[in-house]
Amino acid sequence: MKHAVSTSDAPSAPHLLSQAIVSNGFVFLAGQVHVLPDNTLVGGGTEEKLRQIMQNIAAVLKVADATLDDIVKATIYVTDIALLPEINKVYPTYFSEPLPAREGICVKQLPLGASIEISVIAALR
């Protein structure tokens, strides 16, 4: 059994996606980029972009009765691999131990011209 969750406190998903799906005790979030809930791209540095992404993720998780600390797996996509060291400085501050399993992947482009996208899987308590 699965069901979709969504919130207006995070960017809306295109009609072909769900913001997140809850299934078998897990929440699977669609990738989040650094945009406001109205889909306006957030500029600035890596820390500002990461802050917006994590706010978006937290908003969707909240609807599923989960938090950032429930994340067990994260995939970070960047358009420039040189961003990963900057992300590595700030990213762990959003979690308590143990940190989620994680991978970083460099891609040519991301939606809406973003430079960072993060998708996560969270375990429900």
Side-chain angles (χ1 to χ4, degrees), residues 16-74:
L16 62 136
L17 303 176
S18 297
Q19 280 180 322
I21 294 290
V22 176
S23 180
N24 295 320
F26 291 94
V27 185
F28 300 86
L29 270 74
Q32 294 291 315
V33 296
H34 44 94
V35 295
L36 299 170
D38 67 1
N39 288 317
T40 302
L41 194 65
V42 171
T46 299
E47 188 170 345
E48 292 84 10
K49 292 174 181 179
L50 189 58
R51 182 181 313 115
Q52 186 60 51
I53 292 168
M54 298 308 287
Q55 286 175 356
N56 294 343
I57 290 170
V60 177
L61 287 174
K62 183 177 179 181
V63 176
D65 293 323
T67 69
L68 295 176
D69 281 331
D70 296 316
I71 296 172
V72 295
K73 175 75 167 64

Side-chain angles (χ1 to χ4, degrees), residues 47-121:
E47 188 170 345
E48 292 84 10
K49 292 174 181 179
L50 189 58
R51 182 181 313 115
Q52 186 60 51
I53 292 168
M54 298 308 287
Q55 286 175 356
N56 294 343
I57 290 170
V60 177
L61 287 174
K62 183 177 179 181
V63 176
D65 293 323
T67 69
L68 295 176
D69 281 331
D70 296 316
I71 296 172
V72 295
K73 175 75 167 64
T75 303
I76 300 176
Y77 301 92
V78 294
T79 56
D80 181 351
I81 202 72
L83 293 174
L84 283 178
E86 294 176 59
I87 290 169
N88 288 340
K89 290 178 185 174
V90 180
Y91 171 83
T93 66
Y94 288 94
F95 305 99
S96 58
E97 294 288 337
L99 298 176
R102 195 203 88 183
E103 62 214 358
I105 301 169
C106 189
V107 297
K108 184 176 179 177
Q109 289 181 302
L110 289 169
L112 304 174
S115 57
I116 306 168
E117 178 177 2
I118 301 176
S119 65
V120 302
I121 300 169

